Amino acid sequence: MWLRHPPAGDTRRTTRPLGVMWRICPRLRDRGRCLLNRLPSDPTASVWRGPAPRPPARAYVPPTERKRFYQNVSISQGEGGFEINLDHRKLKTPQAKLFTVPSEALAIAVATEWDSQQDTIKFYTMHLTTLCNTSLDNPTQRNKDQLIRATVKFLDTDTLCYRVEEPETLVELQKNEWDPIIDWAEKRYDVEIGTSTSITGPSIPTHTREVLTSHLSSYNMWALQGIEFVVAQLKSMLLTLGLIDLRLTVEQAVLLSRLEEEYQIQKWGNIEWAHDYELQELRARTAAGTLFVHLCSESSTVKHKLLQE
């Protein structure tokens, strides 16, 4: 796979192999390349040749598979950002917009998704492409404030805040595994986050919502799409914040989100192959979403957030 960049002051294009570009993007290489190589995943965008009708208020549901129709994948820099080229065709979104991403690192990651496809394009494994399509087309027609409110609302049903009353072994497991994350979040953001055994869930203080709303406001729209995606996978805003702030790894966050399921599996056993497949798929979606957030955030902003911690 080759990557194209127009030299300054020159209308001609030069090409560089993908391997070279990986080496000059250490952040993408170190944080993301291993995540992108995981096979199981979920929805992805589109490369069909024309706009397809979509329900107006729903996220994209990509086609399942399609025969690979291109040989080479490259990226090029245009006026609006970095573009993905499949042979000599420019990738388009489901709404037929030019597929353009804001950073070279994200373009490389998306190009890698397309280049890694074999004889059949498995769209459901291409989460970065799907997230880019969602950011570009905004099929739900939400603005930044609406996206932030929807993400913060997940606090009301956050997995870590709902506790069981029995059996005692599970009660203790939740306390030992989940409480440290809640304690970290309360200290990190100077907020109060409660837990509850009631079906109605805990009462989240208004101050907590305001602080987390302000924190999310520091991210751009693209990164917020990724954050909401990860929150939806883990069913937890607290675990997502831990991932974004590098308090947790993908594997840790996924296992914590499935704590009760893993407890039941250890006690009663699991369905052969189904458990492993579901676990790997959740890891792949979570990893892709987390990588997307970092690649869509300005490097200076990410550095500032990490230094603050």
Side-chain angles (χ1 to χ4, degrees):
M1 188 171 88
W2 295 79
L3 307 173
R4 303 178 179 178
H5 289 279
D10 193 346
T11 58
R12 294 175 299 175
R13 296 174 182 264
T14 59
T15 61
R16 283 187 286 186
L18 178 61
V20 173
M21 294 303 297
W22 277 117
R23 290 194 292 274
I24 66 174
C25 292
R27 177 164 61 89
L28 176 60
R29 179 197 64 201
D30 296 338
R31 293 184 182 175
R33 190 176 184 183
C34 62
L35 305 180
L36 298 176
N37 288 333
R38 294 174 178 169
L39 287 179
S41 266
D42 120 313
T44 306
S46 67
V47 67
W48 45 83
R49 299 181 183 177
R54 297 286 175 185
R58 296 180 59 187
Y60 289 134
V61 179
T64 305
E65 294 183 358
R66 175 181 175 178
K67 183 178 179 180
R68 178 165 174 160
F69 57 89
Y70 55 90
Q71 295 295 322
N72 301 307
V73 183
S74 63
I75 70 171
S76 56
Q77 188 170 9
E79 293 182 2
F82 293 87
E83 303 163 1
I84 311 297
N85 308 301
L86 307 179
D87 292 333
H88 300 296
R89 306 173 184 174
K90 292 188 177 297
L91 188 61
K92 299 291 183 68
T93 71
Q95 292 184 15
K97 297 178 182 177
L98 182 63
F99 190 102
T100 306
V101 300
S103 74
E104 181 179 19
L106 179 57
I108 293 172
V110 172
T112 301
E113 281 190 332
W114 286 92
D115 193 51
S116 65
Q117 302 302 304
Q118 303 302 314
D119 294 337
T120 301
I121 306 172
K122 298 180 179 179
F123 293 100
Y124 51 85
T125 69
M126 302 166 68
H127 308 302
L128 293 175
T129 304
T130 298
L131 285 166
C132 289
N133 278 331
T134 301
S135 297
L136 288 165
D137 285 348
N138 191 14
T140 58
Q141 296 300 302
R142 291 180 296 176
N143 59 32
K144 185 173 182 177
D145 289 340
Q146 291 172 322
L147 192 55
I148 291 174
R149 285 199 299 269
T151 302
V152 173
K153 189 171 178 58
F154 271 97
L155 274 175
D156 295 328
T157 56
D158 198 291
T159 297
L160 272 59
C161 296
Y162 279 80
R163 304 298 175 88
V164 299
E165 294 180 301
E166 57 180 357
E168 185 60 34
T169 50
L170 181 55
V171 173
E172 191 68 18
L173 184 63
Q174 290 179 337
K175 177 179 175 60
N176 292 338
E177 300 295 333
W178 287 350
D179 281 4
I181 306 304
I182 292 180
D183 292 342
W184 166 83
E186 289 180 333
K187 293 176 183 177
R188 169 71 171 85
Y189 300 102
D190 192 21
V191 296
E192 179 183 345
I193 302 169
T195 62
S196 174
T197 58
S198 169
I199 193 172
T200 59
S203 177
I204 305 297
T206 301
H207 174 69
T208 298
R209 297 179 188 277
E210 291 174 348
V211 170
L212 295 180
T213 295
S214 176
H215 174 72
L216 292 178
S217 297
S218 66
Y219 290 93
N220 59 47
M221 275 287 288
W222 283 62
L224 286 171
Q225 293 283 3
I227 290 173
E228 186 190 38
F229 178 79
V230 177
V231 171
Q233 305 311 309
L234 299 176
K235 307 296 186 295
S236 171
M237 183 178 179
L238 300 178
L239 289 176
T240 300
L241 291 174
L243 263 178
I244 303 304
D245 280 356
L246 306 182
R247 168 63 174 76
L248 297 168
T249 65
V250 169
E251 289 76 10
Q252 290 172 332
V254 168
L255 287 177
L256 287 172
S257 75
R258 292 170 49 87
L259 193 64
E260 293 185 50
E261 296 166 80
E262 295 297 327
Y263 173 85
Q264 297 297 340
I265 287 171
Q266 290 181 17
K267 185 174 182 179
W268 304 107
N270 66 306
I271 300 175
E272 188 176 357
W273 71 262
H275 167 256
D276 290 339
Y277 179 83
E278 180 182 316
L279 180 61
Q280 293 299 326
E281 185 164 324
L282 180 56
R283 282 178 178 172
R285 291 195 299 267
T286 304
T290 304
L291 177 62
F292 183 83
V293 173
H294 284 287
L295 297 185
C296 291
S297 303
E298 295 181 1
S299 57
S300 59
T301 302
V302 173
K303 182 177 180 182
H304 178 65
K305 290 179 184 295
L306 297 180
L307 287 176
Q308 277 188 324
E309 187 178 31

